[in-house]
Amino acid sequence: MELIKKFKHLFSNISLLGWLIGTLAAVVIEYYWGYDYISYYLGLPKIPVLFGTLIMLKNPIMIPSALAYDIIVYLIPILLTAGVSCNFANFLAGLFEKLPLGLSVLIHLIFFYAILHLWAGINDYRILIIKLTLISIILTVSVNVINGYQGEFSCSHPGFMALGAYTSSIITLVLFVNDKIFGTPLLPESIGPWLFPFALLGGGIAAAIGSLLVAIPSFRTRGDYLAIISLAFMFIIKSAVENLHIIGGARGMGGHPDYAPLPIIFAWTMLCIWVVHNFVTSIFGKALNTVRDDEAASEAMTIKTRKTKVTAFMFGAFWAGIAGGLFAHVLAYINPSMFSINRLAEILAMVYFGGLNSIVGSIVGAVSINVLGEALRPLELFKWIIIPLILIFVMIFRPYGLISFKEIDAKRLLRAKNKNNQGIKDKRGV
Amino acid sequence: MRKIVLLTIVAVTSAVIFSPLAFSARKTIIKIGINAPLTGDIPKVGECTKYAAMLWLEDIKRAGGLKVGNKNYEVELVIEDNESKAESAVKANTKMITQDDVLAIIGPQASKQAVPAGGVANKYKTVMISPWSTNPDTTLDRPFVFRGCFLDPFQGQVMANFITDEFGFTTAAVLYDVASDYPRGLAQVFKKIWEKKHGPDSIVAYESFTTKDTDFSSQLTKIVRSGAQVLFTPQYYNEVPLIVKQAKELGWKAPIAGSDSWGSPETVKLCGKDCYGLYFSSHYAAAGAKGATKTFIDRYKKAYDYIPDDVAALTWDALHLVQQAIQDTGKITGRIGKDRIAVRDALAQIKNFSGITGKMTFTQEGDPIKCAVIVKIDNKGEYGFYKSICP
């Protein structure tokens, strides 16, 4: 315990920027020496892709090598660089504090993306995992608006995702690609990537309009009724697509162009987090919370409950549509059975695992379920025992999820931490 | 502080020293990826794929590795679970190609996974053979993607011709799953060809249901009333027994015919006596097999205690195709990108490969030209060879 305290104290004055610099050092080391030197001398066949979990589970003999790799490449460089560059990082962070918050966040995000890009650049498998994880983050954040902030239990998210995926796919396939279903493109292919955001927006809008079909009849009621109506909606969408042979039916639709590289998806995810954060911390978001807690009381406080609920629902559906569009373009193939009850279970697991009413929680949930799902891949069947068990334990010990009812405080997160003495004073004051 | 530093140094050095593989040089190992649905909707298919691959590896190991040119190479299987999901199949393929450096991939079996996974394999220029996928899109415009089985149009034609020639029937009923890609495609082809042969109204009942339905009585009542002479139902092993039993309860006496999706040993296990005497088209027949086919079946039965279905047989053939292609390249350079292209070129060149599911030659598209087998479920519940129909 004493050691941990000491350890904590040692690194307590490192700002987020400091940690980022440390991680950059680790990633650069992996990039230049990871394959030729470090993993070679440790007897690893390649750079361990997910911190060595895959190779450890598949071949226990590799555990020491993989652990050593993690320590040499990640742990030591991160701690060392972060510790050494502490003063410099705090000086920089202090400078950034004087900038407008938005600009400071943007600089940090660009820095973070650079690290992510270097880390993922080593292996396309990493890129794919990060892409799908980012899409899961959009999905989870958007479902959190409905199931968390609005307090309803909506099951139609896969349906919204399907609407978004199919709409944006149809737009890109009709306009920019010479494919089997729609024939020659209407516009030159070269402008496709530039107009891709509009295709995505089209998907989002289609999902939002689709959500009205659930919202209008069901928001006169609450609770279970919405769950059932939204579940029905999901099946309606799935069956409708299955029987629409013009868009491939059950056979699915493929041949999407590669319009969704990592930076695009990263930008959309950050945009989603920012917009949803502003939405839920606005007056409207507060109104949404009051509607969740007591509808009659909030009505008495002159909140238009019906409008509030429908708007929030459409907003959540919109982002699900965007996520669906990105998903379709990452896989370059969609079929209706992708947007079924399995997907619903996955989305709900991520939301309830991470935490209701919290964007941070959603991010944590999406990242951990995705990374766990990949890291435990070699266990095959046992994976489906371990992940549900973890979920059950989370539900028992933290019924609202890991991090619930917590908002991002960007200012606090990014601030310089060289005022060490002040921090101690604060603590004493408490 | 000093303690912490010391502790880390000790931890690192001990980890490195005790690592048994430390400082060992990298070898050239031939890795073959298996992308199989080990969990999810069709775990039996995944199991058969895995077991067939393990038998193949046993053979290679016994021979002391795979001989390419004058050198013996160690062979390793990378078996990945695709959870019967498209995105998971894509992830598995990406992982095997970019991380494990596989030379070729066998699988995924079902078209839903094989179509997107084939895109990945083609993008990274790695040979992929899907033993069981029948969707034309899997191999269409993808020079690096091959398949091990015939396509739906051929199978529908085989069944329509067989029923006409064998029994002389002129009216037929079709019952299929509208939400699943494979049965729907096959039902459409069958209808088209049957109507071409017997006139526009010769399909007297064309009924559908949705995946996971278990009660077919309303559709079957219509079919029984329609007076069709034969029922064609290209469904999977979990639905066929229900359909057959419910049809018999409703008074259906005419034959029922199906497609290769009946081929799992589970069909008869779940269906029992009701299924005896029925026909389906398949890739091979287990009962009464001869030569290499029989050796494979006997070995498989001995090792895993049940008769292998067509998935296992097709996977076995796909692995041997890859093996022959690798050997035909004559040389493994160790540069994976170059070797993969060499394997692809060698595979496309293979002519009249004699596998346990028949002779095959690939077309330009990577689809094999091969014969179909009509299987009759005999009185002991075994899949007996009845007839072979070639294109």
Side-chain angles (χ1 to χ4, degrees), chain A residues 144-374:
Chain A
N144 210 345
V145 172
I146 300 170
N147 286 30
Y149 293 96
Q150 196 180 344
E152 300 280 5
F153 192 83
S154 161
C155 299
S156 45
H157 243 60
F160 299 145
M161 211 182 148
L163 278 177
Y166 270 93
T167 311
S168 57
S169 305
I170 291 168
I171 294 174
T172 49
L173 290 183
V174 167
L175 292 183
F176 311 118
V177 183
N178 189 3
D179 80 313
K180 228 176 54 182
I181 306 176
F182 302 111
T184 47
L186 298 176
L187 294 173
E189 271 178 54
S190 53
I191 57 167
W194 302 104
L195 294 183
F196 178 58
F198 295 99
L200 275 185
L201 284 177
I205 290 165
I209 293 169
S211 74
L212 277 179
L213 286 181
V214 185
I216 291 171
S218 63
F219 278 173
R220 292 176 190 283
T221 60
R222 277 196 78 100
D224 304 348
Y225 299 100
L226 179 77
I228 290 162
I229 292 175
S230 55
L231 195 64
F233 175 80
M234 186 190 87
F235 282 114
I236 290 169
I237 295 288
K238 182 174 167 268
S239 310
V241 175
E242 270 164 1
N243 288 292
L244 276 174
H245 303 320
I246 187 160
I247 51 171
R251 183 149 270 191
M253 193 152 104
H256 297 62
D258 187 16
Y259 289 161
L262 189 55
I264 300 285
I265 297 180
F266 185 79
W268 276 101
T269 312
M270 292 308 135
L271 184 71
C272 168
I273 291 172
W274 182 60
V275 171
V276 173
H277 175 81
N278 283 356
F279 179 81
V280 297
T281 47
S282 66
I283 295 176
F284 199 91
K286 301 291 168 214
L288 195 64
N289 273 349
T290 59
V291 172
R292 176 193 63 199
D293 293 337
D294 193 330
E295 203 169 335
S298 53
E299 183 91 55
M301 301 292 283
T302 70
I303 290 170
K304 287 180 184 150
T305 54
R306 206 169 146 72
K307 190 184 150 207
T308 312
K309 285 199 290 185
V310 172
T311 314
F313 199 68
M314 285 177 74
F315 183 71
F318 171 81
W319 284 107
I322 298 274
L326 288 170
F327 183 75
H329 285 83
V330 167
L331 288 191
Y333 171 76
I334 40 173
N335 71 31
S337 64
M338 281 177 182
F339 308 106
S340 185
I341 199 102
N342 290 345
R343 171 85 43 203
L344 176 69
E346 209 180 292
I347 295 171
L348 291 181
M350 289 189 290
V351 176
Y352 289 97
F353 182 79
L356 286 176
N357 235 41
S358 162
I359 291 171
V360 192
S362 296
I363 297 171
V364 168
V367 171
S368 42
I369 294 279
N370 267 286
V371 171
L372 263 182
E374 271 322 295

Side-chain angles (χ1 to χ4, degrees), chain B residues 231-311:
Chain B
L231 169 63
F232 178 66
T233 178
Q235 288 305 326
Y236 292 98
Y237 67 82
N238 47 356
E239 290 139 342
V240 173
L242 295 168
I243 293 171
V244 172
K245 279 188 178 168
Q246 288 174 21
K248 298 235 154 145
E249 277 163 23
L250 289 166
W252 176 266
K253 293 205 178 60
I256 300 176
S259 56
D260 64 327
S261 54
W262 283 33
S264 164
E266 297 289 304
T267 311
V268 167
K269 215 188 265 172
L270 297 169
C271 188
K273 283 201 171 118
D274 287 329
C275 278
Y276 293 0
L278 301 184
Y279 299 89
F280 62 90
S281 60
S282 185
H283 308 275
Y284 93 131
K290 290 183 204 77
T293 318
K294 189 169 164 32
T295 326
F296 167 69
I297 293 167
D298 290 347
R299 274 185 61 198
Y300 192 99
K301 180 134 198 263
K302 207 177 146 202
Y304 307 113
D305 213 28
Y306 62 92
I307 292 174
D309 60 6
D310 53 347
V311 177

Side-chain angles (χ1 to χ4, degrees), chain A residues 35 39 41 43-47 62 65 71 123-124 132 180 242 245 251 335 343 374 377 383, chain B residues 12 19 21 23 26 38-39 79-81 83 86-88 91 98-99 112 124 135 137 179 181 184:
Chain A
Y35 181 70
S39 59
Y41 288 122
L44 294 165
K46 267 201 139 179
I47 291 175
M62 293 286 195
S65 300
I71 293 170
N123 189 311
D124 280 5
L132 291 173
K180 228 176 54 182
E242 270 164 1
H245 303 320
R251 183 149 270 191
N335 71 31
R343 171 85 43 203
E374 271 322 295
R377 184 178 265 286
K383 179 173 131 184
Chain B
V12 171
S19 166
L21 297 152
F23 302 104
R26 286 173 178 140
L38 299 172
T39 60
I79 301 175
E80 287 293 337
D81 176 19
E83 300 161 28
E87 72 264 33
S88 199
K91 279 192 222 165
T98 63
Q99 178 66 16
K112 270 174 193 166
Y124 292 106
N135 187 331
D137 288 349
D181 163 32
R184 219 195 71 213

